[in-house]
Amino acid sequence: MSNDDTKDMVETVDVSPRDPDVPQASGGDVFRQLLHQAVRVADMANSQAMRMALDFAKVYEREQGVRKEFENQLKQMTLMEKQATRYAEDLAGMLRSERERRQELERALEQERIASEELRRTGLQGISHLLLAATIKDRTTGTHLQRVRRYVEAIAERLGLPGELVEEYGYSSVMHDVGKIHTPDHILQSEHHLSDDEFSVIKQHCIDGEKMLGTARFFETARAIAREHHERWDGKGYPDGKKGEEISLAARIVSVADVFDALTSKRPYKEAWSAEAGLKAIETGAGERFDPEIVAGFVALAKEGVLERISSEVAASEGDEQPGSSAK
Ligand SMILES: [Fe+2]
Ligand SMILES: [Fe+2]
């Protein structure tokens, strides 16, 4: 309670001069009256102070409540913040390990790619050594193999095969006659008509070729081509008498390309046929010796001038070092 409040209360106590009509009280009465008034003032002051204290207590209590609530909220917010930080750290950790895993995978894939490229190069080197040996022994030439390869790739592309397969058919086609390494020279280079016995020896080059190409996946198509390139669509070929689609697609394609190039090339025992005559022979063989669909594709390539372009491009590169070029 302030001094002003006390002063107000004291002023409300009646201490004015007595009414002259009222008989004068004695000194003891005055004292009792004053004491009584003093007690009343003190009571009033007390109750006011009590009221103020209660009010204050209420406000304080309310404030305390608000403060607690605020503290709780603050605590919650701190907790949430800590949790969010932990989540963010966990997430960053996960991303980091994910990135590391991906980098590891990429490294492994790159190593795999290098290894398979190495294998491919080794395979191709092996092929060129094989071809060198085969073409020196045979009367075929490096340019025959180059043309066959290019014709095969053009046919495969025309049939809509994917690029990887086109390439695989191409490099595999050049090994179609590797088995001739085992064929005796006098039969291989014979210019007269072969006897049945001699012909059965010739047939063996398909089986020998397949064997020579081992078991590696890289030579899988080459093995099929070596074994089946003398099979016929009508089943009258050798060495197994397979027919139609029993013969691998690669071998059916090589068969067309190989025969066409053999017909249109000069050999010690024959002159080169014209491209028209060669194409005519291929067309005549459709459905008998050759897969008709492949013949149709080959004829279309001829009409578009693709065969002629391949032939002249290979002729232009003849000066380059090619396997078997010494056998020309
Ligand atoms: Fe052959
Ligand atoms: Fe050939």
Side-chain angles (χ1 to χ4, degrees):
M1 188 164 63
S2 71
N3 286 342
D4 288 344
D5 290 338
T6 314
K7 200 172 134 212
D8 287 348
M9 276 189 287
V10 171
E11 277 167 1
T12 59
V13 176
D14 181 13
V15 288
S16 56
R18 292 221 152 252
D19 187 335
D21 297 333
V22 178
Q24 283 289 311
S26 67
D29 287 340
V30 170
F31 176 74
R32 258 196 307 276
Q33 270 179 358
L34 284 172
L35 183 65
H36 184 67
Q37 282 190 354
V39 169
R40 272 179 55 213
V41 169
D43 275 351
M44 282 168 67
N46 264 342
S47 57
Q48 184 131 0
M50 272 297 273
R51 255 195 326 272
M52 286 177 71
L54 279 171
D55 285 351
F56 176 76
K58 270 185 202 155
V59 169
Y60 179 74
E61 202 178 351
R62 221 174 23 245
E63 275 181 356
Q64 282 294 93
V66 170
R67 198 165 67 93
K68 273 223 174 77
E69 205 175 316
F70 179 71
E71 275 175 1
N72 278 341
Q73 280 184 0
L74 201 69
K75 222 181 275 175
Q76 253 175 351
M77 276 170 68
T78 313
L79 272 176
M80 278 164 69
E81 199 182 304
K82 271 189 191 152
Q83 216 161 27
T85 310
R86 218 174 29 247
Y87 283 158
E89 280 171 0
D90 285 355
L91 198 66
M94 275 162 67
L95 281 173
R96 220 174 11 252
S97 58
E98 179 64 32
R99 205 169 34 238
E100 279 164 9
R101 257 205 304 277
R102 209 181 50 226
Q103 280 170 352
E104 211 169 297
L105 194 70
E106 277 168 4
R107 269 197 300 276
L109 281 174
E110 177 61 12
Q111 275 168 357
E112 163 92 18
R113 198 190 60 72
I114 292 170
S116 92
E117 181 55 32
E118 186 66 29
L119 200 67
R120 206 176 102 89
R121 260 205 306 276
T122 312
L124 290 173
Q125 260 170 19
I127 292 171
S128 65
H129 291 143
L130 272 175
L131 295 182
L132 188 64
T135 52
I136 283 171
K137 189 170 160 76
D138 194 3
R139 288 187 178 189
T140 56
T141 63
T143 50
H144 163 67
L145 298 178
Q146 280 184 62
R147 278 189 301 271
V148 168
R149 179 183 188 156
R150 297 279 308 274
Y151 293 152
V152 164
E153 285 174 348
I155 297 169
E157 213 172 284
R158 174 140 208 118
L159 293 179
L161 299 183
E164 277 171 30
L165 222 49
V166 170
E167 192 193 30
E168 189 177 323
Y169 282 17
Y171 74 68
S172 300
S173 73
V174 296
M175 291 169 273
H176 62 272
D177 271 340
V178 284
K180 282 188 177 168
I181 284 181
H182 295 288
T183 313
D185 285 351
H186 73 273
I187 296 178
L188 208 55
Q189 293 169 13
S190 168
E191 290 180 21
H192 62 80
H193 189 74
L194 294 174
S195 68
D196 285 353
D197 282 352
E198 286 173 330
F199 195 57
S200 61
V201 172
I202 280 277
K203 286 178 182 176
Q204 189 62 29
H205 82 276
C206 304
I207 296 156
D208 290 340
E210 186 193 29
K211 249 187 242 158
M212 279 173 69
L213 292 165
T215 54
R217 159 75 193 90
F218 186 82
F219 290 121
E220 195 181 329
T221 302
R223 280 193 295 275
I225 291 173
R227 177 99 191 186
E228 300 170 342
H229 70 282
H230 289 289
E231 297 290 359
R232 291 171 51 121
W233 185 254
D234 59 11
K236 293 179 185 164
Y238 66 85
D240 302 307
K242 288 182 185 172
K243 64 173 178 181
E245 291 184 1
E246 286 170 15
I247 308 159
S248 69
L249 178 61
R252 280 180 270 147
I253 295 175
V254 171
S255 172
V256 170
D258 187 33
V259 171
F260 175 78
D261 195 66
L263 294 175
T264 53
S265 301
K266 184 180 181 311
R267 297 281 163 91
Y269 50 89
K270 74 166 194 57
E271 285 305 311
W273 293 21
S274 69
E276 293 72 29
L279 199 64
K280 190 88 198 126
I282 297 294
E283 275 186 285
T284 308
E288 291 177 6
R289 183 161 184 171
F290 308 114
D291 177 343
E293 206 180 314
I294 293 170
V295 172
F298 195 67
V299 171
L301 288 171
K303 282 186 181 150
E304 289 161 12
V306 177
L307 303 185
E308 207 182 327
R309 181 167 53 80
I310 289 174
S311 177
S312 55
E313 277 174 13
V314 172
S317 70
E318 214 173 342
D320 301 346
E321 192 139 333
Q322 295 297 333
S325 55
S326 60
K328 274 185 281 192

